[in-house]
Amino acid sequence: MDSYLKNKSVLIIVAISPKYKFDVEGDGSDQHGLHTKYIHTQIQNEFIQQRCLNFRLIPVMFPNANQTHVPMWLQSTRLFRWPQDAQDLLLRLLREERYIPPPLGKELTLIIKPL
């Protein structure tokens, strides 16, 4: 698990739900063995070390979740809503842009004629 967290080329999906909020802000016990609180702390530390720039976290908000279930430190980043943003989410996972900028044209030539 730590190797995935330390590998900066790996994207991390954060599944936002009421259960996730309870797991990361709850009493500290991890009864289901998913190490949710540990992973949450690690990605939060990385986010802070990156000066709050998000390069690899992909927060996905499920239908039973709302904005209050998103951790405060993740509220400034792009949230994907499932299933409404499925196409945008897929593009993000594939690291592709939705809109491809057009190629630059020829360089313009400026001619100045004195009057």
PDB file of all heavy atoms in Angstrom, residues 9-41:
ATOM      1  N   SER A   9       3.419   8.659  -9.782  1.00  0.00           N
ATOM      2  CA  SER A   9       2.753   8.478 -11.068  1.00  0.00           C
ATOM      3  C   SER A   9       1.395   7.785 -10.922  1.00  0.00           C
ATOM      4  O   SER A   9       0.631   7.708 -11.873  1.00  0.00           O
ATOM      5  CB  SER A   9       3.636   7.681 -12.023  1.00  0.00           C
ATOM      6  OG  SER A   9       3.800   6.361 -11.547  1.00  0.00           O
ATOM      7  N   VAL A  10       1.087   7.298  -9.719  1.00  0.00           N
ATOM      8  CA  VAL A  10      -0.172   6.601  -9.472  1.00  0.00           C
ATOM      9  C   VAL A  10      -1.234   7.610  -9.069  1.00  0.00           C
ATOM     10  O   VAL A  10      -1.028   8.421  -8.165  1.00  0.00           O
ATOM     11  CB  VAL A  10       0.004   5.538  -8.352  1.00  0.00           C
ATOM     12  CG1 VAL A  10      -1.329   4.924  -7.973  1.00  0.00           C
ATOM     13  CG2 VAL A  10       0.986   4.474  -8.783  1.00  0.00           C
ATOM     14  N   LEU A  11      -2.382   7.572  -9.768  1.00  0.00           N
ATOM     15  CA  LEU A  11      -3.506   8.429  -9.400  1.00  0.00           C
ATOM     16  C   LEU A  11      -4.261   7.775  -8.250  1.00  0.00           C
ATOM     17  O   LEU A  11      -4.368   6.556  -8.169  1.00  0.00           O
ATOM     18  CB  LEU A  11      -4.440   8.612 -10.593  1.00  0.00           C
ATOM     19  CG  LEU A  11      -3.852   9.341 -11.791  1.00  0.00           C
ATOM     20  CD1 LEU A  11      -4.830   9.310 -12.964  1.00  0.00           C
ATOM     21  CD2 LEU A  11      -3.505  10.769 -11.442  1.00  0.00           C
ATOM     22  N   ILE A  12      -4.807   8.600  -7.351  1.00  0.00           N
ATOM     23  CA  ILE A  12      -5.524   8.098  -6.185  1.00  0.00           C
ATOM     24  C   ILE A  12      -6.960   8.606  -6.240  1.00  0.00           C
ATOM     25  O   ILE A  12      -7.205   9.811  -6.247  1.00  0.00           O
ATOM     26  CB  ILE A  12      -4.855   8.558  -4.880  1.00  0.00           C
ATOM     27  CG1 ILE A  12      -3.432   8.023  -4.806  1.00  0.00           C
ATOM     28  CG2 ILE A  12      -5.669   8.118  -3.671  1.00  0.00           C
ATOM     29  CD1 ILE A  12      -2.627   8.567  -3.644  1.00  0.00           C
ATOM     30  N   ILE A  13      -7.898   7.671  -6.280  1.00  0.00           N
ATOM     31  CA  ILE A  13      -9.324   8.023  -6.258  1.00  0.00           C
ATOM     32  C   ILE A  13      -9.770   8.079  -4.807  1.00  0.00           C
ATOM     33  O   ILE A  13      -9.566   7.128  -4.046  1.00  0.00           O
ATOM     34  CB  ILE A  13     -10.160   6.995  -7.040  1.00  0.00           C
ATOM     35  CG1 ILE A  13      -9.762   7.018  -8.511  1.00  0.00           C
ATOM     36  CG2 ILE A  13     -11.644   7.279  -6.873  1.00  0.00           C
ATOM     37  CD1 ILE A  13     -10.443   5.947  -9.332  1.00  0.00           C
ATOM     38  N   VAL A  14     -10.372   9.197  -4.424  1.00  0.00           N
ATOM     39  CA  VAL A  14     -10.908   9.354  -3.073  1.00  0.00           C
ATOM     40  C   VAL A  14     -12.427   9.256  -3.194  1.00  0.00           C
ATOM     41  O   VAL A  14     -13.062  10.134  -3.778  1.00  0.00           O
ATOM     42  CB  VAL A  14     -10.500  10.718  -2.458  1.00  0.00           C
ATOM     43  CG1 VAL A  14     -11.043  10.849  -1.056  1.00  0.00           C
ATOM     44  CG2 VAL A  14      -8.994  10.894  -2.493  1.00  0.00           C
ATOM     45  N   ALA A  15     -12.991   8.169  -2.695  1.00  0.00           N
ATOM     46  CA  ALA A  15     -14.432   7.923  -2.789  1.00  0.00           C
ATOM     47  C   ALA A  15     -15.136   8.654  -1.648  1.00  0.00           C
ATOM     48  O   ALA A  15     -15.120   8.228  -0.502  1.00  0.00           O
ATOM     49  CB  ALA A  15     -14.714   6.431  -2.720  1.00  0.00           C
ATOM     50  N   ILE A  16     -15.750   9.788  -1.973  1.00  0.00           N
ATOM     51  CA  ILE A  16     -16.411  10.635  -0.984  1.00  0.00           C
ATOM     52  C   ILE A  16     -17.811  10.081  -0.709  1.00  0.00           C
ATOM     53  O   ILE A  16     -18.625   9.948  -1.616  1.00  0.00           O
ATOM     54  CB  ILE A  16     -16.516  12.094  -1.481  1.00  0.00           C
ATOM     55  CG1 ILE A  16     -15.154  12.640  -1.899  1.00  0.00           C
ATOM     56  CG2 ILE A  16     -17.194  12.969  -0.445  1.00  0.00           C
ATOM     57  CD1 ILE A  16     -14.157  12.762  -0.789  1.00  0.00           C
ATOM     58  N   SER A  17     -18.066   9.780   0.560  1.00  0.00           N
ATOM     59  CA  SER A  17     -19.373   9.279   0.986  1.00  0.00           C
ATOM     60  C   SER A  17     -19.522   9.588   2.477  1.00  0.00           C
ATOM     61  O   SER A  17     -18.540   9.926   3.143  1.00  0.00           O
ATOM     62  CB  SER A  17     -19.468   7.772   0.751  1.00  0.00           C
ATOM     63  OG  SER A  17     -18.599   7.094   1.624  1.00  0.00           O
ATOM     64  N   PRO A  18     -20.726   9.451   3.032  1.00  0.00           N
ATOM     65  CA  PRO A  18     -20.879   9.646   4.478  1.00  0.00           C
ATOM     66  C   PRO A  18     -20.005   8.677   5.279  1.00  0.00           C
ATOM     67  O   PRO A  18     -19.450   9.041   6.313  1.00  0.00           O
ATOM     68  CB  PRO A  18     -22.368   9.387   4.713  1.00  0.00           C
ATOM     69  CG  PRO A  18     -23.027   9.677   3.404  1.00  0.00           C
ATOM     70  CD  PRO A  18     -22.024   9.282   2.358  1.00  0.00           C
ATOM     71  N   LYS A  19     -19.853   7.444   4.809  1.00  0.00           N
ATOM     72  CA  LYS A  19     -19.017   6.447   5.494  1.00  0.00           C
ATOM     73  C   LYS A  19     -17.559   6.877   5.496  1.00  0.00           C
ATOM     74  O   LYS A  19     -16.852   6.728   6.493  1.00  0.00           O
ATOM     75  CB  LYS A  19     -19.177   5.091   4.791  1.00  0.00           C
ATOM     76  CG  LYS A  19     -18.282   4.012   5.323  1.00  0.00           C
ATOM     77  CD  LYS A  19     -18.951   3.284   6.456  1.00  0.00           C
ATOM     78  CE  LYS A  19     -18.173   2.051   6.837  1.00  0.00           C
ATOM     79  NZ  LYS A  19     -17.352   2.236   8.006  1.00  0.00           N
ATOM     80  N   TYR A  20     -17.086   7.444   4.372  1.00  0.00           N
ATOM     81  CA  TYR A  20     -15.698   7.909   4.297  1.00  0.00           C
ATOM     82  C   TYR A  20     -15.468   9.015   5.327  1.00  0.00           C
ATOM     83  O   TYR A  20     -14.480   9.002   6.053  1.00  0.00           O
ATOM     84  CB  TYR A  20     -15.382   8.413   2.894  1.00  0.00           C
ATOM     85  CG  TYR A  20     -13.985   8.960   2.753  1.00  0.00           C
ATOM     86  CD1 TYR A  20     -12.887   8.106   2.673  1.00  0.00           C
ATOM     87  CD2 TYR A  20     -13.748  10.334   2.713  1.00  0.00           C
ATOM     88  CE1 TYR A  20     -11.605   8.594   2.553  1.00  0.00           C
ATOM     89  CE2 TYR A  20     -12.464  10.832   2.593  1.00  0.00           C
ATOM     90  CZ  TYR A  20     -11.394   9.958   2.514  1.00  0.00           C
ATOM     91  OH  TYR A  20     -10.126  10.453   2.398  1.00  0.00           O
ATOM     92  N   LYS A  21     -16.389   9.967   5.394  1.00  0.00           N
ATOM     93  CA  LYS A  21     -16.246  11.058   6.364  1.00  0.00           C
ATOM     94  C   LYS A  21     -16.202  10.510   7.788  1.00  0.00           C
ATOM     95  O   LYS A  21     -15.378  10.938   8.593  1.00  0.00           O
ATOM     96  CB  LYS A  21     -17.374  12.065   6.214  1.00  0.00           C
ATOM     97  CG  LYS A  21     -17.259  13.221   7.192  1.00  0.00           C
ATOM     98  CD  LYS A  21     -18.011  14.407   6.709  1.00  0.00           C
ATOM     99  CE  LYS A  21     -17.961  15.516   7.715  1.00  0.00           C
ATOM    100  NZ  LYS A  21     -16.991  16.518   7.429  1.00  0.00           N
ATOM    101  N   PHE A  22     -17.068   9.559   8.095  1.00  0.00           N
ATOM    102  CA  PHE A  22     -17.075   8.962   9.426  1.00  0.00           C
ATOM    103  C   PHE A  22     -15.754   8.236   9.700  1.00  0.00           C
ATOM    104  O   PHE A  22     -15.196   8.334  10.790  1.00  0.00           O
ATOM    105  CB  PHE A  22     -18.254   7.993   9.574  1.00  0.00           C
ATOM    106  CG  PHE A  22     -18.262   7.291  10.894  1.00  0.00           C
ATOM    107  CD1 PHE A  22     -18.693   7.952  12.038  1.00  0.00           C
ATOM    108  CD2 PHE A  22     -17.830   5.985  11.004  1.00  0.00           C
ATOM    109  CE1 PHE A  22     -18.696   7.316  13.273  1.00  0.00           C
ATOM    110  CE2 PHE A  22     -17.820   5.332  12.227  1.00  0.00           C
ATOM    111  CZ  PHE A  22     -18.253   6.004  13.367  1.00  0.00           C
ATOM    112  N   ASP A  23     -15.248   7.514   8.706  1.00  0.00           N
ATOM    113  CA  ASP A  23     -13.997   6.761   8.884  1.00  0.00           C
ATOM    114  C   ASP A  23     -12.806   7.669   9.149  1.00  0.00           C
ATOM    115  O   ASP A  23     -11.947   7.359   9.961  1.00  0.00           O
ATOM    116  CB  ASP A  23     -13.705   5.890   7.662  1.00  0.00           C
ATOM    117  CG  ASP A  23     -14.583   4.651   7.604  1.00  0.00           C
ATOM    118  OD1 ASP A  23     -15.265   4.348   8.602  1.00  0.00           O
ATOM    119  OD2 ASP A  23     -14.575   3.986   6.550  1.00  0.00           O
ATOM    120  N   VAL A  24     -12.713   8.802   8.442  1.00  0.00           N
ATOM    121  CA  VAL A  24     -11.531   9.661   8.601  1.00  0.00           C
ATOM    122  C   VAL A  24     -11.654  10.631   9.763  1.00  0.00           C
ATOM    123  O   VAL A  24     -10.645  11.105  10.272  1.00  0.00           O
ATOM    124  CB  VAL A  24     -11.187  10.428   7.298  1.00  0.00           C
ATOM    125  CG1 VAL A  24     -10.860   9.465   6.190  1.00  0.00           C
ATOM    126  CG2 VAL A  24     -12.275  11.387   6.891  1.00  0.00           C
ATOM    127  N   GLU A  25     -12.870  10.943  10.189  1.00  0.00           N
ATOM    128  CA  GLU A  25     -13.052  11.874  11.293  1.00  0.00           C
ATOM    129  C   GLU A  25     -13.594  11.200  12.541  1.00  0.00           C
ATOM    130  O   GLU A  25     -13.849  11.863  13.536  1.00  0.00           O
ATOM    131  CB  GLU A  25     -13.991  13.009  10.874  1.00  0.00           C
ATOM    132  CG  GLU A  25     -13.416  13.895   9.788  1.00  0.00           C
ATOM    133  CD  GLU A  25     -14.367  15.004   9.387  1.00  0.00           C
ATOM    134  OE1 GLU A  25     -15.495  15.080   9.923  1.00  0.00           O
ATOM    135  OE2 GLU A  25     -13.967  15.792   8.515  1.00  0.00           O
ATOM    136  N   GLY A  26     -13.758   9.882  12.495  1.00  0.00           N
ATOM    137  CA  GLY A  26     -14.344   9.143  13.612  1.00  0.00           C
ATOM    138  C   GLY A  26     -13.381   8.970  14.772  1.00  0.00           C
ATOM    139  O   GLY A  26     -12.365   9.663  14.892  1.00  0.00           O
ATOM    140  N   ASP A  27     -13.678   7.987  15.607  1.00  0.00           N
ATOM    141  CA  ASP A  27     -12.942   7.771  16.857  1.00  0.00           C
ATOM    142  C   ASP A  27     -11.546   7.188  16.678  1.00  0.00           C
ATOM    143  O   ASP A  27     -10.805   7.038  17.644  1.00  0.00           O
ATOM    144  CB  ASP A  27     -13.758   6.883  17.794  1.00  0.00           C
ATOM    145  CG  ASP A  27     -14.003   5.493  17.206  1.00  0.00           C
ATOM    146  OD1 ASP A  27     -13.526   5.215  16.091  1.00  0.00           O
ATOM    147  OD2 ASP A  27     -14.680   4.693  17.869  1.00  0.00           O
ATOM    148  N   GLY A  28     -11.171   6.817  15.475  1.00  0.00           N
ATOM    149  CA  GLY A  28      -9.812   6.325  15.255  1.00  0.00           C
ATOM    150  C   GLY A  28      -9.711   4.833  15.049  1.00  0.00           C
ATOM    151  O   GLY A  28      -8.682   4.343  14.617  1.00  0.00           O
ATOM    152  N   SER A  29     -10.760   4.070  15.338  1.00  0.00           N
ATOM    153  CA  SER A  29     -10.683   2.623  15.127  1.00  0.00           C
ATOM    154  C   SER A  29     -10.955   2.299  13.656  1.00  0.00           C
ATOM    155  O   SER A  29     -11.728   2.969  12.992  1.00  0.00           O
ATOM    156  CB  SER A  29     -11.697   1.907  16.008  1.00  0.00           C
ATOM    157  OG  SER A  29     -13.006   2.274  15.641  1.00  0.00           O
ATOM    158  N   ASP A  30     -10.279   1.274  13.165  1.00  0.00           N
ATOM    159  CA  ASP A  30     -10.440   0.848  11.777  1.00  0.00           C
ATOM    160  C   ASP A  30     -10.925  -0.597  11.801  1.00  0.00           C
ATOM    161  O   ASP A  30     -10.161  -1.520  11.611  1.00  0.00           O
ATOM    162  CB  ASP A  30      -9.105   0.979  11.031  1.00  0.00           C
ATOM    163  CG  ASP A  30      -9.238   0.672   9.549  1.00  0.00           C
ATOM    164  OD1 ASP A  30     -10.384   0.534   9.074  1.00  0.00           O
ATOM    165  OD2 ASP A  30      -8.209   0.556   8.877  1.00  0.00           O
ATOM    166  N   GLN A  31     -12.223  -0.761  12.029  1.00  0.00           N
ATOM    167  CA  GLN A  31     -12.779  -2.097  12.226  1.00  0.00           C
ATOM    168  C   GLN A  31     -12.814  -2.920  10.947  1.00  0.00           C
ATOM    169  O   GLN A  31     -12.772  -4.139  10.985  1.00  0.00           O
ATOM    170  CB  GLN A  31     -14.179  -1.992  12.824  1.00  0.00           C
ATOM    171  CG  GLN A  31     -14.176  -1.345  14.193  1.00  0.00           C
ATOM    172  CD  GLN A  31     -15.587  -1.133  14.713  1.00  0.00           C
ATOM    173  OE1 GLN A  31     -16.552  -1.431  14.038  1.00  0.00           O
ATOM    174  NE2 GLN A  31     -15.699  -0.604  15.912  1.00  0.00           N
ATOM    175  N   HIS A  32     -12.896  -2.272   9.792  1.00  0.00           N
ATOM    176  CA  HIS A  32     -12.998  -3.026   8.545  1.00  0.00           C
ATOM    177  C   HIS A  32     -11.640  -3.302   7.905  1.00  0.00           C
ATOM    178  O   HIS A  32     -11.562  -3.944   6.864  1.00  0.00           O
ATOM    179  CB  HIS A  32     -13.931  -2.336   7.551  1.00  0.00           C
ATOM    180  CG  HIS A  32     -13.747  -0.859   7.474  1.00  0.00           C
ATOM    181  ND1 HIS A  32     -12.639  -0.253   6.943  1.00  0.00           N
ATOM    182  CD2 HIS A  32     -14.541   0.147   7.898  1.00  0.00           C
ATOM    183  CE1 HIS A  32     -12.766   1.045   7.025  1.00  0.00           C
ATOM    184  NE2 HIS A  32     -13.902   1.325   7.609  1.00  0.00           N
ATOM    185  N   GLY A  33     -10.547  -2.819   8.493  1.00  0.00           N
ATOM    186  CA  GLY A  33      -9.207  -3.150   8.028  1.00  0.00           C
ATOM    187  C   GLY A  33      -8.777  -2.514   6.729  1.00  0.00           C
ATOM    188  O   GLY A  33      -7.866  -3.001   6.074  1.00  0.00           O
ATOM    189  N   LEU A  34      -9.411  -1.424   6.317  1.00  0.00           N
ATOM    190  CA  LEU A  34      -9.052  -0.773   5.054  1.00  0.00           C
ATOM    191  C   LEU A  34      -7.992   0.310   5.221  1.00  0.00           C
ATOM    192  O   LEU A  34      -7.549   0.882   4.233  1.00  0.00           O
ATOM    193  CB  LEU A  34     -10.306  -0.182   4.395  1.00  0.00           C
ATOM    194  CG  LEU A  34     -11.382  -1.183   3.999  1.00  0.00           C
ATOM    195  CD1 LEU A  34     -12.604  -0.460   3.449  1.00  0.00           C
ATOM    196  CD2 LEU A  34     -10.846  -2.171   2.980  1.00  0.00           C
ATOM    197  N   HIS A  35      -7.609   0.629   6.438  1.00  0.00           N
ATOM    198  CA  HIS A  35      -6.606   1.655   6.731  1.00  0.00           C
ATOM    199  C   HIS A  35      -6.988   3.014   6.140  1.00  0.00           C
ATOM    200  O   HIS A  35      -6.137   3.763   5.686  1.00  0.00           O
ATOM    201  CB  HIS A  35      -5.225   1.225   6.223  1.00  0.00           C
ATOM    202  CG  HIS A  35      -4.825  -0.129   6.699  1.00  0.00           C
ATOM    203  ND1 HIS A  35      -4.505  -0.378   8.017  1.00  0.00           N
ATOM    204  CD2 HIS A  35      -4.729  -1.312   6.040  1.00  0.00           C
ATOM    205  CE1 HIS A  35      -4.203  -1.666   8.142  1.00  0.00           C
ATOM    206  NE2 HIS A  35      -4.336  -2.253   6.973  1.00  0.00           N
ATOM    207  N   THR A  36      -8.266   3.309   6.173  1.00  0.00           N
ATOM    208  CA  THR A  36      -8.781   4.535   5.571  1.00  0.00           C
ATOM    209  C   THR A  36      -8.171   5.777   6.196  1.00  0.00           C
ATOM    210  O   THR A  36      -7.766   6.696   5.489  1.00  0.00           O
ATOM    211  CB  THR A  36     -10.317   4.587   5.706  1.00  0.00           C
ATOM    212  OG1 THR A  36     -10.858   3.365   5.199  1.00  0.00           O
ATOM    213  CG2 THR A  36     -10.901   5.749   4.944  1.00  0.00           C
ATOM    214  N   LYS A  37      -8.097   5.801   7.517  1.00  0.00           N
ATOM    215  CA  LYS A  37      -7.571   6.988   8.202  1.00  0.00           C
ATOM    216  C   LYS A  37      -6.090   7.191   7.879  1.00  0.00           C
ATOM    217  O   LYS A  37      -5.643   8.315   7.657  1.00  0.00           O
ATOM    218  CB  LYS A  37      -7.782   6.867   9.707  1.00  0.00           C
ATOM    219  CG  LYS A  37      -7.495   8.169  10.446  1.00  0.00           C
ATOM    220  CD  LYS A  37      -7.934   8.094  11.875  1.00  0.00           C
ATOM    221  CE  LYS A  37      -9.254   8.805  11.941  1.00  0.00           C
ATOM    222  NZ  LYS A  37      -9.757   9.029  13.266  1.00  0.00           N
ATOM    223  N   TYR A  38      -5.321   6.118   7.812  1.00  0.00           N
ATOM    224  CA  TYR A  38      -3.894   6.204   7.480  1.00  0.00           C
ATOM    225  C   TYR A  38      -3.698   6.754   6.066  1.00  0.00           C
ATOM    226  O   TYR A  38      -2.909   7.674   5.848  1.00  0.00           O
ATOM    227  CB  TYR A  38      -3.236   4.826   7.605  1.00  0.00           C
ATOM    228  CG  TYR A  38      -1.823   4.792   7.102  1.00  0.00           C
ATOM    229  CD1 TYR A  38      -0.787   5.337   7.855  1.00  0.00           C
ATOM    230  CD2 TYR A  38      -1.514   4.235   5.863  1.00  0.00           C
ATOM    231  CE1 TYR A  38       0.519   5.325   7.399  1.00  0.00           C
ATOM    232  CE2 TYR A  38      -0.222   4.209   5.395  1.00  0.00           C
ATOM    233  CZ  TYR A  38       0.798   4.752   6.157  1.00  0.00           C
ATOM    234  OH  TYR A  38       2.083   4.747   5.697  1.00  0.00           O
ATOM    235  N   ILE A  39      -4.451   6.206   5.103  1.00  0.00           N
ATOM    236  CA  ILE A  39      -4.342   6.677   3.717  1.00  0.00           C
ATOM    237  C   ILE A  39      -4.754   8.132   3.628  1.00  0.00           C
ATOM    238  O   ILE A  39      -4.101   8.938   2.960  1.00  0.00           O
ATOM    239  CB  ILE A  39      -5.191   5.797   2.784  1.00  0.00           C
ATOM    240  CG1 ILE A  39      -4.630   4.376   2.752  1.00  0.00           C
ATOM    241  CG2 ILE A  39      -5.261   6.378   1.385  1.00  0.00           C
ATOM    242  CD1 ILE A  39      -5.532   3.371   2.078  1.00  0.00           C
ATOM    243  N   HIS A  40      -5.829   8.493   4.310  1.00  0.00           N
ATOM    244  CA  HIS A  40      -6.313   9.874   4.315  1.00  0.00           C
ATOM    245  C   HIS A  40      -5.229  10.822   4.833  1.00  0.00           C
ATOM    246  O   HIS A  40      -4.967  11.869   4.236  1.00  0.00           O
ATOM    247  CB  HIS A  40      -7.573   9.976   5.177  1.00  0.00           C
ATOM    248  CG  HIS A  40      -8.091  11.367   5.324  1.00  0.00           C
ATOM    249  ND1 HIS A  40      -8.882  11.959   4.378  1.00  0.00           N
ATOM    250  CD2 HIS A  40      -7.920  12.292   6.302  1.00  0.00           C
ATOM    251  CE1 HIS A  40      -9.179  13.183   4.771  1.00  0.00           C
ATOM    252  NE2 HIS A  40      -8.617  13.407   5.937  1.00  0.00           N
ATOM    253  N   THR A  41      -4.586  10.458   5.910  1.00  0.00           N
ATOM    254  CA  THR A  41      -3.524  11.293   6.486  1.00  0.00           C
ATOM    255  C   THR A  41      -2.349  11.427   5.520  1.00  0.00           C
ATOM    256  O   THR A  41      -1.796  12.518   5.339  1.00  0.00           O
ATOM    257  CB  THR A  41      -3.037  10.697   7.824  1.00  0.00           C
ATOM    258  OG1 THR A  41      -4.162  10.581   8.696  1.00  0.00           O
ATOM    259  CG2 THR A  41      -1.987  11.567   8.470  1.00  0.00           C
TER     260      THR A  41
END
